[in-house]
Amino acid sequence: MAKTYDYLFKLLLIGDSGVGKTSILFRFSEDAFNISFISTIGIDFKIRTIDLDGKKVKLQIWDTAGQERFRTITTAYYRGSMGIMLVYDVTNEKSFENIKNWIRNIEENASADVEKMILGNKCDLEAKRQVSKERGEQLAVEYQIKFIETSAKDSLNVESAFYTLARDIKAKMEKKQKEASNPAGARSGGHQLRNEPQRKPTSWLSRCSLL
Amino acid sequence: MSEVENNETPVQNEEKDYVEDGKNKFIVKCKFCGSRILDKKSAKYITIEKDLPLMQQDNNRKEGEIQNESVNEFYHVENMYTFENIGFTHTVANCKYLSCADCDAGPVGYYDNDTKHSYVAISRIVHA
Ligand SMILES: Nc1nc2c(ncn2[C@@H]2O[C@H](COP(=O)(O)OP(=O)(O)OP(=O)(O)O)[C@@H](O)[C@H]2O)c(=O)[nH]1
Ligand SMILES: [Mg+2]
Ligand SMILES: [Zn+2]
């Protein structure tokens, strides 16, 4: 059967235990109606189809296991991921400090060109906040990663975060494709913005068709 | 359609107004929130017998007990990326249950870890 979509992106939710990764993926609120069967088993991943500038994009979004620590997450875990949502809890200082450790772990184990985004979750809990929005923004600038505060509870900014990450992956892919069809230009770097960091050759681009 | 018992599957399929050329004639949506699960004509109609846990388990059931019902009409999806929007649960007895990606209602079907094929229970979705 003919392929009915333009892009397929595998995305991972990463972060300390309790920051809200599962809640970001699992929208059900307990007071709606009784579907405890699904919530007791838990969701492994979701497939979502979105439209990005007229292209049909499939997102496969994976939750990661609650007890995983960055020390134990290795290459196999990240295999094939093109985007990673780094989640911390704005009411938990430690989870914010650990974002740096997660980033280091990603740099050591994931594909070099994996697209990243930082989410400061639980922004509905203003009274319990320990990490200001400004500190989140600073961290993001430091690592040149996009950042947004979210509330899985209120469904605030969650969808737009996934759109943003997907759009960045798509832009990167299209840039790579353009360079591939015009290798001379890419090598000379003539069309690159001056302060854009040099990136290693893509590896997931060639792999993504196998997913 | 209780006339004559007919074992010829194709003939039976012709009788279903939601099946065309052996596939789902309409868009498949979540019963509860309308989330789009499958595009029209993207999955094969099949009849097989399968026990699926009820979408709404009785709160007064015994602990650990799962209430099932037998389901026999499905849309067969060979490649999971055919789905528009869907959730996959963690594995239970070599299968994953399918749930709505938007409201998490389910199971709306199951996924077989061996064959990697998915099956959407027609009685648990709506056509549009
Ligand atoms: N107020 C508020 N609570 C949230 C939010 N997101 C998650 N929670 C709560 O935080 C707790 C932990 O959320 P989970 O989604 O289980 O966290 P997790 O990151 O999946 O944790 P692990 O699976 O252990 O890694 C739960 O009690 C959620 O209800 C949010 O945006 N706002
Ligand atoms: Mg979790
Ligand atoms: Zn739904």
Side-chain angles (χ1 to χ4, degrees), chain B residues 75-93:
Chain B
Y75 289 127
H76 177 197
V77 178
E78 290 192 13
N79 179 339
M80 66 163 76
Y81 303 115
T82 301
F83 282 107
E84 292 291 296
N85 298 287
I86 197 78
F88 289 75
T89 66
H90 292 291
T91 298
V92 181

Side-chain angles (χ1 to χ4, degrees), chain A residues 5-37:
Chain A
Y5 53 90
D6 299 297
Y7 294 107
L8 169 61
F9 300 154
K10 181 181 162 184
L11 311 178
L12 275 185
L13 287 157
I14 293 279
D16 281 8
S17 184
V19 297
K21 301 179 297 296
T22 299
S23 306
I24 285 169
L25 194 61
F26 193 73
R27 302 263 193 88
F28 171 65
S29 54
E30 294 298 334
D31 45 50
F33 52 91
N34 177 17
I35 53 160
S36 56
F37 180 77

Side-chain angles (χ1 to χ4, degrees), chain A residues 39-53:
Chain A
S39 48
T40 48
I41 298 172
I43 301 287
D44 195 11
F45 62 89
K46 280 185 177 176
I47 290 173
R48 289 189 164 278
T49 304
I50 63 172
D51 184 289
L52 283 183
D53 317 312

Side-chain angles (χ1 to χ4, degrees), chain B residues 12-30:
Chain B
Q12 280 186 337
N13 293 356
E14 299 286 308
E15 294 168 359
K16 310 285 181 191
D17 59 4
Y18 43 86
V19 179
E20 193 172 81
D21 303 328
K23 293 185 169 176
N24 58 309
K25 186 174 175 184
F26 306 105
I27 292 168
V28 171
K29 291 189 167 189
C30 170

Side-chain angles (χ1 to χ4, degrees), chain A residues 15-24 63-67 121-125 150-154:
Chain A
D16 281 8
S17 184
V19 297
K21 301 179 297 296
T22 299
S23 306
I24 285 169
D63 194 4
T64 56
Q67 303 312 313
N121 190 41
K122 306 196 192 180
C123 70
D124 56 290
L125 297 176
T150 57
S151 166
K153 182 167 167 273
D154 297 345

Side-chain angles (χ1 to χ4, degrees), chain A residues 27 46-49 159, chain B residues 27-39 83-87 99-105 108 120 124-128:
Chain A
R27 302 263 193 88
K46 280 185 177 176
I47 290 173
R48 289 189 164 278
T49 304
E159 191 153 306
Chain B
I27 292 168
V28 171
K29 291 189 167 189
C30 170
K31 263 187 185 183
F32 298 94
C33 74
S35 174
R36 182 192 275 241
I37 296 171
L38 285 169
D39 245 343
F83 282 107
E84 292 291 296
N85 298 287
I86 197 78
S99 58
C100 173
D102 281 296
C103 74
D104 298 308
V108 295
V120 177
R124 297 192 177 186
I125 52 89
V126 289
H127 294 102

Side-chain angles (χ1 to χ4, degrees), chain B residues 5-119:
Chain B
E5 284 290 323
N6 190 341
N7 291 325
E8 255 178 272
T9 330
V11 177
Q12 280 186 337
N13 293 356
E14 299 286 308
E15 294 168 359
K16 310 285 181 191
D17 59 4
Y18 43 86
V19 179
E20 193 172 81
D21 303 328
K23 293 185 169 176
N24 58 309
K25 186 174 175 184
F26 306 105
I27 292 168
V28 171
K29 291 189 167 189
C30 170
K31 263 187 185 183
F32 298 94
C33 74
S35 174
R36 182 192 275 241
I37 296 171
L38 285 169
D39 245 343
K40 59 177 85 164
K41 313 216 82 182
S42 63
K44 270 184 252 159
Y45 173 88
I46 58 159
T47 54
I48 42 166
E49 195 88 9
K50 171 83 180 175
D51 275 349
L52 273 187
L54 293 179
M55 292 178 83
Q56 311 215 11
Q57 299 276 323
D58 188 343
N59 280 334
N60 301 320
R61 72 188 190 279
K62 274 186 237 129
E63 211 181 295
E65 187 190 12
I66 294 167
Q67 298 166 305
N68 288 300
E69 98 186 314
S70 176
V71 179
N72 55 29
E73 279 187 88
F74 291 89
Y75 289 127
H76 177 197
V77 178
E78 290 192 13
N79 179 339
M80 66 163 76
Y81 303 115
T82 301
F83 282 107
E84 292 291 296
N85 298 287
I86 197 78
F88 289 75
T89 66
H90 292 291
T91 298
V92 181
N94 216 29
C95 96
K96 290 177 180 293
Y97 293 106
L98 304 177
S99 58
C100 173
D102 281 296
C103 74
D104 298 308
V108 295
Y110 69 100
Y111 166 86
D112 184 326
N113 282 7
D114 290 329
T115 61
K116 308 216 182 304
H117 293 179
S118 304
Y119 301 86

